[in-house]
Amino acid sequence: MAGVSSFRRTLFRAARGALAGLLAAFTALAVAELVAGLVRPAAGPVTVVGGAVIDRTPAAVKDFAIRTFGENDKTVLQLGILAILALIAIGLGILALSHRRIGAAGVLLFGVIGAAAAFGRPDSRGLGDVLPSIAGAVAGAGVLYLLASKALPAPAPVGEAGQSDALSWDRRGFLTAAGATAAAAITAGALGRFFTSRQSQGAVASREALVLPKPSSPAPALPAGVQLKVPGITAFTTPNRDFYRVDTALTVPKVDAGTWRLWIHGKGVTRPRTYTLDQLLARPLIERDITLTCVSNEVGGPYIGNARWLGVPLADLLKEAGVVPPSRGGKADQLVARSVDGMTLGSPVEDVMDGRDAMLAVGMNGEPLPFDHGFPVRMLVPGLYGYVSACKWITDIELTTFDAYDPYWVKRKWARKAPIKTQSRIDTPKPFARPAAGIVTVAGVAWAQRRGITRVQIRIDDGPWQDADLAAQAGTDTWRQWTYRWNATPGGHNLTVRATDGTGQVQTEQRTRTIPDGASGWHSVFVTVS
Ligand SMILES: Nc1nc2c(c(=O)[nH]1)N[C@H]1C(S)=C(S)[C@@H](COP(=O)(O)O)O[C@H]1N2
Ligand SMILES: [Mo]
């Protein structure tokens, strides 16, 4: 029996250590949250460490994360960070029972890691950003030091040696201290949340108050029949709430439209200028239907959407600033857009100024941009993948050269230039569907922004390519729907689609990965007809 009770004693002791460690970590995070709420919400430790992890994740792993977790990839990352922190906290807590100073020092070390992560983020504002991590770590270290001392047996009075059984430690003292710590940490965390939400309230109010002006150049009316009436086909216009979201932001920037500024400057800019939102809104606005696509979209993937955007023609702003495209002797061939969270995206100046509807968008499907999609202003360049054109929360445009500067994704092995590849996708039937024999409606979308879609073909198994029926084409910058009436026979069948763009180029069969400049290859779907 002696063995069992000593085992239980060890277990109780370890549990006390674990609890002390977890409470220390919880306190550290809560205090950091509170300080971040006062200084800058984006400088909270989980956000900065997560951001640092994202910045350093190899392109292949990032691709895997997007593929596997989709738009939940950030939640998975944050939960992962919290789980690792919890494990380390338990370890440090148990260690602190025998080595109080070392345990507390371990917590401090995490503050240093958080501070370093904050300092190294592209949007770092310097020393203020390290405060949350440092303050949290100091509080956490203090809590661990205190709780560890209370979790130990009181020193045995002289003459009563050997009495240190599981009950001789000051149980009430430990539990009181643990309870008080938890209460204080919860209060600190709640206050932090409160301050954070108060900071974003200004931005929310500025968005609600924003009345979008009428475009001086409205979108051409959509031809009848751009939207096929086929169950299961993608909507021609993607509602804002369904529009895909791809970015590195762990906390979505909440920018106050009233204090927002855009600076245009750099090589060949003879008249650098800063704009307010009101100044942009006072200019002639264009409204266009444009399909936006992510370079990380796999063949058949979901990272594509089409919206009606309202914005300021970007080429006009550049001309006013004195910018001349390279083809007419301009010095800058790359336009680098920078967002409030430090993201940088580079587009060819030539493309932006070649007459296409490149814009600084303020409206999306009739409302101000949602925060997720870049409020108050984002850039859009039809025909280019999002990572080389579609800067959300934009605040700075710098004219430079491709030789002089590599933006965020290019530093991470993605291509400097990335025009959108011709692609097509089968939306219905779904993979592994079991339609009944007879007429089955196959339908989907195809896109080749700037070039348009002139033909879509379907192949059943290894049969000949058959023309699909095309829906009306809204414009060359939007996707186009198509449908094919298939006389399905029982058994397993493979359906494959390919598109031809407006230049006559047939979508290539050659499969490539998304890295470095977008996936190519044909989409196919396997179904079993019953
Ligand atoms: N500030 C910022 N802008 C950004 C990104 C980002 O990570 N940060 N991602 C880009 C990428 S890769 C794409 S595909 C589009 C996606 O825009 P959406 O989220 O509105 O669909 O935004 C682009 N703009
Ligand atoms: Mo993207």
Side-chain angles (χ1 to χ4, degrees), residues 112-427:
V112 174
I113 294 176
F119 210 63
R121 295 254 41 225
D123 64 335
S124 167
R125 312 248 170 99
L127 282 176
D129 282 3
V130 308
L131 268 182
S133 293
I134 297 295
V138 169
V143 162
L144 185 59
Y145 193 80
L146 179 96
L147 286 182
S149 69
K150 300 245 181 236
L152 287 173
V158 186
E160 286 179 49
Q163 282 284 320
S164 65
D165 67 344
L167 292 176
S168 75
W169 59 286
D170 179 4
R171 175 188 225 148
R172 191 184 295 163
F174 175 73
L175 289 181
T176 309
T181 303
I186 289 171
T187 311
L191 270 176
R193 283 287 145 93
F194 170 74
F195 289 130
T196 300
S197 75
R198 212 181 47 178
Q199 285 200 11
S200 62
Q201 268 164 26
V204 172
S206 75
R207 183 173 181 275
E208 272 158 14
L210 180 60
V211 181
L212 294 176
K214 292 264 166 294
S216 57
S217 168
L222 289 178
V226 290
Q227 174 72 60
L228 296 175
K229 291 185 186 63
V230 175
I233 199 170
T234 312
F236 177 79
T237 300
T238 315
N240 290 355
R241 65 172 181 285
D242 297 337
F243 208 94
Y244 81 93
R245 178 187 157 205
V246 170
D247 56 58
T248 58
L250 280 174
T251 43
V252 173
K254 296 268 169 64
V255 180
D256 190 319
T259 54
W260 177 86
R261 296 289 182 277
L262 173 72
W263 184 31
I264 301 184
H265 60 110
K267 212 172 252 148
V269 177
T270 51
R271 288 173 294 276
R273 227 194 117 167
T274 303
Y275 292 89
T276 64
L277 185 63
D278 283 341
Q279 286 170 334
L280 286 189
L281 294 179
R283 301 176 62 94
L285 301 183
I286 56 172
E287 181 191 49
R288 298 289 183 265
D289 294 299
I290 297 169
T291 299
L292 179 61
T293 321
C294 183
V295 72
S296 293
N297 197 38
E298 301 280 325
V299 172
Y303 299 132
I304 177 165
N306 181 63
R308 177 160 288 191
W309 309 91
L310 175 74
V312 182
L314 180 52
D316 292 354
L317 290 173
L318 295 178
K319 277 179 218 147
E320 282 178 26
V323 178
V324 175
S327 59
R328 291 200 281 113
K331 281 187 264 176
D333 60 2
Q334 181 177 221
L335 178 158
V336 174
R338 183 182 298 268
S339 74
V340 298
D341 67 343
M343 170 57 66
T344 48
L345 298 83
S347 322
V349 175
E350 198 63 47
D351 292 355
V352 173
M353 300 187 80
D354 72 357
R356 70 182 80 188
D357 293 316
M359 65 166 93
L360 296 178
V362 292
M364 180 178 187
N365 291 328
E367 55 170 293
L369 290 177
F371 288 107
D372 280 359
H373 298 290
F375 181 84
V377 181
R378 78 174 306 167
M379 206 171 112
L380 282 178
V381 184
L384 305 183
Y385 285 117
Y387 85 103
V388 287
S389 64
C391 184
K392 306 194 272 189
W393 318 292
I394 191 173
T395 184
D396 184 311
I397 289 181
E398 180 174 1
L399 279 296
T400 178
T401 60
F402 281 100
D403 282 343
Y405 185 77
D406 283 340
Y408 186 93
W409 294 107
V410 176
K411 286 197 185 92
R412 290 162 177 79
K413 306 275 186 289
W414 295 81
R416 288 203 168 80
K417 297 186 183 176
I420 294 171
K421 296 180 178 176
T422 302
Q423 268 296 344
S424 48
R425 184 179 76 190
I426 299 173
D427 290 336

Side-chain angles (χ1 to χ4, degrees), residues 28-29 32 42-53 56 81 85 106-121 124 126-137:
L29 288 180
V46 178
T47 303
V48 294
V49 171
V53 172
R56 282 162 190 78
I81 289 174
L85 264 187
V107 177
L108 284 179
L109 186 66
F110 274 85
V112 174
I113 294 176
F119 210 63
R121 295 254 41 225
S124 167
L127 282 176
D129 282 3
V130 308
L131 268 182
S133 293
I134 297 295

